[in-house]
Amino acid sequence: MKNEEPEKDYTTEKKIKEAARKIFHQKGYAATKTRDIAEEAGINLALLNYYFRSKRNLFDLVMAESFGQFFFSIRSILNDESTTLGQKIDVFAKVYINLLNDNPNLPIFVLSEIQANPEWFQKALGLNKKMISSSALFRQIQEHLKKVGKEHINAFHVVLNMLAMTIFPFVGRPVLVKLTGMDDAAFHDFVNERKTFIPMWIKNMLQLTD
Amino acid sequence: MKNEEPEKDYTTEKKIKEAARKIFHQKGYAATKTRDIAEEAGINLALLNYYFRSKRNLFDLVMAESFGQFFFSIRSILNDESTTLGQKIDVFAKVYINLLNDNPNLPIFVLSEIQANPEWFQKALGLNKKMISSSALFRQIQEHLKKVGKEHINAFHVVLNMLAMTIFPFVGRPVLVKLTGMDDAAFHDFVNERKTFIPMWIKNMLQLTD
DNA sequence: TAATGCATTAAACATTTGATTAAAATATTT
DNA sequence: AAATATTTTAATCAAATGTTTAATGCATTA
C-alpha cells in the first residue's frame, strides 16, 4: 500500500492541474493548447486525457475552483452577522488584495470567460439575485445610508465601488504597469497601500466615522 | 466612376470589419473563428482573406481601433490645460460611460487580449510612463492633494479609482446582472446614475468642494 | 519470480480551422 | 457590345489541435 500522501504536489495529476491553471489563467480557454499544458507540466500529452478525459473537463475543474476563489471566498466575511460594517470594509480589502496578490490573473480570467460564454455560467454556478442583496454587508450599508440621509443611493453602488477599487488594479495591471513604469515589486507595494486606503475612501463615501 | 460614398456601411469590406469587431469583442481573438465572422457578415469565407489577407491582420485593425477608443479617446479631456480639476472629473465620467454604453464589451476585450499577449502591445501601441504622469489631470490632482495636506497619497491612486469606478461595472457586467437581477434597461439606468455619483465620490475623496 | 495492473510513451487519427485556388459572376471600361 | 477588371463562390489544401490507440515500462502482488 502507498504511504499516506507523501508530497501531493508532485503527483502527475496535480502537476497537470496546476499547469493547466497557470496557462488557462494566462491565456484563457481558447488560446490554451493541450500541448502547452503538457509541456508546462512536463508530462506526455496523452496523460492529460488519461487523467482528465478532455481539455474541456480539465478547464471546468479549474474554472469551478477559480470561480469559487473569486466569489465565494469572501462570502463568509460579508455575511458575518457579528461584525460591524466598518469591520467588514476593513477586512474585505485586506483579504481580497492578499488573494489577488497570489492570483493576479484570476479576475480577468474569470470575467472574460464569463463574457465569452455567459450561458455556461447560468447553470454551472448558482448565482442568484439573493446572494448580494440578502447579505449582511448589503443590509448594513442600506441601513447606514438611511441613517445619514442618503437613502437615494442604491447600496449596490457602494458594494460595486468596493469591488471596483479592489479588483480593477489587477484587471488593468498590464496596462497600469506600462503606464506608470512600475515593476512587480512596486506594483505589489502600490496595491498593498490600498488595503488601508480603500476602507478609508469607502467609509468617507458613507460618512462612516468608525 | 463610383458615386462618392453612397452608404459606406454596406460595402463588403465594412460588413466584414463590423462583424469581426462584434465577434472579437464578444469572444476574443482565439475563440473567434473566421467562419463565425463570415457568417455574421453574411459573406463567403474567402472574402475575408480577399479583403484583409488574414485573421490576424483583421484583428490588428479592430484592436488598434478599439484600443484607441479605450485609451486615447479621453486623452484630450485629461490633457486640457484650460479646464479645472473639478470640470475634468465631471466630464470624464459622463463621456466615458457614454462610450462604454455603446461598447460594453470593449474593456474586457482590450484588457484580456493584453493579458494574453503582453509582448505584442509593447511595440504595437506606444504606451509610456509619461502618458499619465505628465497629464494635466495628474498634475492637478497632485497639486490639490498637497493643498489639502494629503501629499502622502500617490495621485495614481485617485486616477485609478476614477477608472475603476467607471470601467469596472462593464467588466463585471455579466456577473453583476446575474447577481442583481437587473435587465439591460436597469443596468443602463444604474450606470447612468454613476455619471453624477462618481464625480461626487472622487471630489469627496479629494476634499474638493468645487 | 511470474503475473497483474497501473502509468507512461510514441505514434497516429480525425476534426477543426486559417488560407488558397480556380472558376464563375458581376461590374467597369474601351 | 466586346474586352477587361473586380468581386464572389465552391472546393480544396495544409497545418494545428484535441483525442485515441497500442505498445512499453514499472511497481505491486501472488
Side-chain angles (χ1 to χ4, degrees), chain A residues 83-91 140 144 147-148 196 199-210:
Chain A
T83 57
T84 66
L85 176 53
Q87 288 170 328
K88 283 191 184 63
I89 294 171
D90 287 334
V91 72
Q140 284 172 316
H144 184 85
K147 199 166 77 184
V148 298
T196 52
M200 186 182 75
W201 291 320
I202 295 289
K203 289 175 187 173
N204 201 251
M205 231 173 247
L206 289 166
Q207 302 179 317
L208 179 65
T209 55
D210 162 63

Side-chain angles (χ1 to χ4, degrees), chain A:
Chain A
M1 205 207 242
K2 199 187 279 178
N3 206 357
E4 77 274 25
E5 320 261 272
E7 63 270 70
K8 199 176 181 180
D9 289 290
Y10 277 99
T11 69
T12 303
E13 195 172 342
K14 267 284 174 194
K15 275 195 293 182
I16 296 172
K17 197 168 161 190
E18 192 43 41
R21 197 197 56 80
K22 181 178 169 185
I23 310 277
F24 278 139
H25 274 213
Q26 199 174 107
K27 303 269 192 186
Y29 176 76
T32 295
K33 312 304 168 197
T34 53
R35 285 164 177 82
D36 297 341
I37 298 175
E39 189 183 18
E40 173 73 28
I43 52 98
N44 185 284
L45 174 60
L47 287 178
L48 191 153
N49 294 82
Y50 179 76
Y51 281 103
F52 295 97
R53 307 254 316 262
S54 70
K55 176 191 177 188
R56 183 71 210 185
N57 196 54
L58 178 53
F59 174 80
D60 287 351
L61 289 176
V62 170
M63 175 53 83
E65 223 172 270
S66 299
F67 192 84
Q69 279 194 305
F70 191 54
F71 283 94
F72 301 130
S73 68
I74 47 162
R75 271 212 299 187
S76 56
I77 296 170
L78 305 187
N79 276 324
D80 192 334
E81 298 283 350
S82 69
T83 57
T84 66
L85 176 53
Q87 288 170 328
K88 283 191 184 63
I89 294 171
D90 287 334
V91 72
F92 169 80
K94 271 204 235 323
V95 169
Y96 216 65
I97 287 177
N98 283 338
L99 170 72
L100 296 182
N101 271 329
D102 292 336
N103 305 274
N105 296 336
L106 184 64
I108 284 202
F109 168 67
V110 171
L111 294 172
S112 64
E113 293 297 337
I114 293 179
Q115 165 156 321
N117 211 342
E119 322 81 48
W120 190 86
F121 288 85
Q122 307 272 28
K123 54 179 202 295
L125 291 313
L127 295 183
N128 64 70
K129 194 173 172 172
K130 297 285 181 318
M131 280 184 48
I132 282 197
S133 61
S134 72
S135 70
L137 172 75
F138 190 81
R139 192 175 30 73
Q140 284 172 316
I141 292 175
Q142 273 185 319
E143 284 165 7
H144 184 85
L145 284 171
K146 178 165 268 177
K147 199 166 77 184
V148 298
K150 287 182 176 283
E151 56 270 76
H152 64 285
I153 299 182
N154 187 335
F156 277 125
H157 283 300
V158 180
V159 176
L160 189 58
N161 289 344
M162 278 182 55
L163 294 170
M165 293 199 284
T166 307
I167 297 172
F168 190 78
F170 293 90
V171 172
R173 179 181 163 145
V175 179
L176 198 66
V177 161
K178 258 280 132 298
L179 235 41
T180 61
M182 288 191 276
D183 60 10
D184 284 356
F187 180 82
H188 192 265
D189 292 344
F190 179 78
V191 294
N192 277 348
E193 281 183 345
R194 296 175 73 84
K195 289 181 186 173
T196 52
F197 283 154
I198 291 172
M200 186 182 75
W201 291 320
I202 295 289
K203 289 175 187 173
N204 201 251
M205 231 173 247
L206 289 166
Q207 302 179 317
L208 179 65
T209 55
D210 162 63

Side-chain angles (χ1 to χ4, degrees), chain B residues 8-47:
Chain B
K8 201 176 182 180
D9 289 289
Y10 277 98
T11 68
T12 303
E13 194 172 343
K14 267 284 174 194
K15 273 195 294 180
I16 296 172
K17 196 168 161 190
E18 192 43 41
R21 196 196 57 79
K22 181 178 170 186
I23 310 277
F24 278 140
H25 274 213
Q26 199 175 109
K27 303 269 192 187
Y29 177 75
T32 295
K33 313 304 169 198
T34 53
R35 283 164 178 83
D36 298 341
I37 298 175
E39 188 184 17
E40 173 73 28
I43 53 98
N44 186 286
L45 173 61
L47 287 178

Side-chain angles (χ1 to χ4, degrees), chain A residues 25-28 30-31 108-109 112-113 115-116 171 174-175, chain B residues 20-21 23-32 55-56 59-60 62-64 66-67 70 105-122 125:
Chain A
H25 274 213
Q26 199 174 107
K27 303 269 192 186
I108 284 202
F109 168 67
S112 64
E113 293 297 337
Q115 165 156 321
V171 172
V175 179
Chain B
R21 196 196 57 79
I23 310 277
F24 278 140
H25 274 213
Q26 199 175 109
K27 303 269 192 187
Y29 177 75
T32 295
K55 176 191 176 186
R56 183 72 210 185
F59 174 81
D60 288 351
V62 170
M63 176 52 84
S66 298
F67 193 84
F70 191 55
N105 297 336
L106 185 63
I108 283 203
F109 168 67
V110 171
L111 294 172
S112 65
E113 292 298 337
I114 293 180
Q115 165 156 322
N117 211 341
E119 323 81 48
W120 190 87
F121 287 84
Q122 307 272 26
L125 292 312

